[in-house]
Amino acid sequence: MQLRSFKFSLRLILPLAIVLGLFAFAIVPLVDNLTMRWFMRELDARSNMLANAMQDPLTEYVPQKSAKKINQLFDRAILDERLYALAFCDADNQLAYKTVTYPDSLGCRSVSPKLGVRQAVIHTPQGALHITESPLNTEAEHLGKLVLVHDMSFIERRNADTRKYVITLFALLAVIISLITVVVAHLSWRGWITSVKSLLRGGLLHREQSPAASNHSATVPPPTPPEVQPLEGDLRALLNEINLERRTRDDSSHIWTPEKLRTLLHEELAGDEVLVVSNREPYLHMHTRNGVEVRRPASGLVTAVEPVMRACSGTWIAHGSGSADRDAVDRNDRVPVPPANPSYTLRRVWLTKEEEEGYYYGFANEGLWPLCHIAHVRPVFRSGDWDQYVQVNQRFADAVIKEARTDDPVVLAQDYHFALLPRMVREVLPKATIITFWHIPWPNPESFGICPWREEILEGLLGSTTLGFHTEFHCKNFLETVDRYLEARIEHEVSTISYGGKLTKVEDYPISIAWPEAEDGPGVAESRTSIRQELGLPANQLLGIGVDRLDYTKGIIERFQAIEKMLEQHPEMVGRFSMVQIAAPSRSSLDEYQNFEARVRSLVQRINRRFGNSNYEPILLKVEHHDSDQVNRYYRAADVCLVTSLHDGMNLVAKEFIAARDDEHGVLILSQFTGAARELHEALIVNPYHIEQGAEAIYRALTMPEIEQRERMRSMRSLVKDFNIYRWAGRMLLDASRLRQRERIMTKIHSHSRKSLRRVV
Ligand code: G6P
């Protein structure tokens, strides 16, 4: 605040000081000239007076040739500090008498060749001298001439003094005028602010009351000052929003629900439309032997965002990748979903084989995915893939613009597939609220610097109003990356980036899941029994569960190595413990993923050969798609859930497992390199690269006393329940709406205060 008022004062004073300074410098030579002329005139008069005063004694002493008297006369005269020397030249123009100070170089030559000029300034090694010649005559004869020499250095000294005074005077004047201006401006500004404050405190509040209430009120609302009247409506709106925000914050102890999110959207964003953009669609229509089936993809993003869309309605724009997708849409490529109970619209965008290859498999999954995960797989960047990435981002941005019914929709852009889209949308819809969420980690600036199109990616993302990551650490990495590669203004305290005149808030919003309804699916006891029966396992078999896409970032190999080590170190667990690994096939046309699958399968075979027999296999690998009901049954049947990602933005499997365990049993083993580990401190946190540590954790989980399991599980359940997906979306929407309102009001206040200031200055 102080800094701002200092800057404000500086803005007023500086131009004034510059103008006065220039004026002072222009006026100094004029003043010099004037004083010089004034002093010269004074010297001339003085010299004439002196010469006249010496005429009488000299006309007496010169004919007498009385050198002594003349010298005495001269010596007395030059006691005057300005009279420098005296001399007398006789009628033959020979130097007859002089004071010791008289410069020899002057001799008796006439000071000016011009007739009649008796006074002149000459420059000698001693400095500038003022010479006056005064003829000495008696009535009868011409005796000679008296030469008076005045030192002019005192004029220069005086001139310097005068210059100093003039400059000091102007400086003083500048300070006084500036101070007066600043005081007047501040008083007017304060007056304006006070009017706004009183309006906020009294006027608006009073006016907000019902007429009946104001009748009982003892105080009459003060009239709104005319200068604030144009703002009254906006301020009232702002006040309402702040009240609503306070209300929303005040009840933060309550659980976030779909209803609460809906209310918030309605009140905060005035029912604005919500458009989600993601690559993966929430529902795929697939041709199967039994006809068209609808499938939910294995995607953390879809798991999280789908419940939000159910609550908000709106439109979800995504790549139509199911084999029967085209058959399910209307002529605008739209289909209402969820199929059983439609609550929002899915708008499909079609991609050619070539586009999918370059944008999805190439740039997104061979480039950005390994780049951001740093899981020891080299990112591959090809210009052709980049071109497709740009083109597809533009296709989706066009779809957003086309779907938008207003010029300021709320756009939720998802993930690394659409880094360029926020800016592309912003260019056409500058008033849109664009919330981008990056679902995967953001690496450090050095690692990100590998990307040949790093500046374009950063610029694209900075088209967003709000940019979200799962953790503070990823936000920090992003801010540092922008700092390293773009000329942007970063405010670390408030986590904002100003780039190209646009402000982006960078914030951590840890993603979560929808807390399940109590009656969701079969209970724990039922699931324990039925799953063991289906797997052909004894009823008391200890069961581990892993649910992942078959992806090299998930630490599946390290997980199996830890199981192998645990069985090696605790042979009593051989035969007693089985691990079910659900591995949804993923991006399988990429070499890296095919190789990974082969390595996983061969490791499983080796471990099963080593510890298994015809009735027992320690690892049951299920490389196939499972729907959420099936997965939930496994979560409930398991004793331990293993999440051992080498790097993961959040990992929702960890949260899903916790949500499924309403019996408050079961142990979660969680990699320290997941975003979830920052929240779920009661899990057994492991470094997946440390195989012995992993083995130890598995053994500890399998032998953990029930009471400890309950304590840990209870605490984690209460966190996930409160910090659910509606809170994730609610916080982002609230922040964005606040930025949006603030920007609107600030624009008005700025333009108004500029007008007021212009009147003052
Ligand atoms: C991660 C990404 C999502 C993606 C999901 C599944 O969770 O953050 O954007 O949808 O993996 O990957 P896929 O390539 O099959 O969509």
Side-chain angles (χ1 to χ4, degrees), residues 389-438:
Y389 187 81
V390 177
Q391 189 175 307
V392 172
N393 266 254
Q394 192 60 63
R395 294 266 312 274
F396 276 80
D398 292 345
V400 170
I401 293 156
K402 197 161 164 230
E403 289 297 321
R405 290 190 308 269
T406 57
D407 64 347
D408 61 349
V410 176
V411 181
L412 304 177
Q414 306 297 314
D415 230 351
Y416 60 100
H417 308 92
F418 295 116
L420 307 178
L421 178 137
R423 190 185 163 105
M424 290 170 169
V425 173
R426 167 85 49 226
E427 271 162 14
V428 183
L429 300 174
K431 290 204 277 179
T433 298
I434 305 173
I435 305 173
T436 304
F437 194 79
W438 195 261

Side-chain angles (χ1 to χ4, degrees), residues 279-280 298-301 360 365 369 415-417 439-440 549 586-587:
N279 171 70
R280 186 58 65 199
S299 156
L301 179 159
Y360 171 73
N365 285 318
W369 179 268
D415 230 351
Y416 60 100
H417 308 92
H439 289 257
I440 62 174
R549 282 182 307 102
S586 184
R587 306 168 195 171

Side-chain angles (χ1 to χ4, degrees), residues 387-514:
D387 293 342
Q388 295 293 350
Y389 187 81
V390 177
Q391 189 175 307
V392 172
N393 266 254
Q394 192 60 63
R395 294 266 312 274
F396 276 80
D398 292 345
V400 170
I401 293 156
K402 197 161 164 230
E403 289 297 321
R405 290 190 308 269
T406 57
D407 64 347
D408 61 349
V410 176
V411 181
L412 304 177
Q414 306 297 314
D415 230 351
Y416 60 100
H417 308 92
F418 295 116
L420 307 178
L421 178 137
R423 190 185 163 105
M424 290 170 169
V425 173
R426 167 85 49 226
E427 271 162 14
V428 183
L429 300 174
K431 290 204 277 179
T433 298
I434 305 173
I435 305 173
T436 304
F437 194 79
W438 195 261
H439 289 257
I440 62 174
W442 188 275
N444 58 48
E446 290 74 31
S447 305
F448 188 77
I450 294 172
C451 177
W453 297 280
R454 59 194 185 196
E455 283 87 3
E456 286 88 336
I457 300 265
L458 295 173
E459 282 173 348
L461 286 169
L462 291 178
S464 316
T465 315
T466 303
L467 176 58
F469 295 94
H470 292 294
T471 67
E472 263 178 56
F473 184 63
H474 297 150
C475 293
K476 195 173 137 277
N477 277 350
F478 182 79
L479 293 179
E480 282 171 8
T481 309
V482 171
D483 205 11
R484 180 79 59 91
Y485 300 116
L486 292 184
E487 289 290 323
R489 210 181 74 227
I490 300 177
E491 305 238 15
H492 289 273
E493 305 91 74
V494 283
S495 198
T496 55
I497 300 175
S498 186
Y499 183 71
K502 169 84 199 64
L503 196 73
T504 301
K505 177 140 183 87
V506 180
E507 190 65 79
D508 61 306
Y509 301 100
I511 208 165
S512 196
I513 52 161

Side-chain angles (χ1 to χ4, degrees), residues 586-600:
S586 184
R587 306 168 195 171
S588 16
S589 66
L590 293 179
D591 285 351
E592 203 63 58
Y593 284 78
Q594 287 170 10
N595 294 342
F596 182 67
E597 182 175 344
R599 281 172 58 213
V600 168

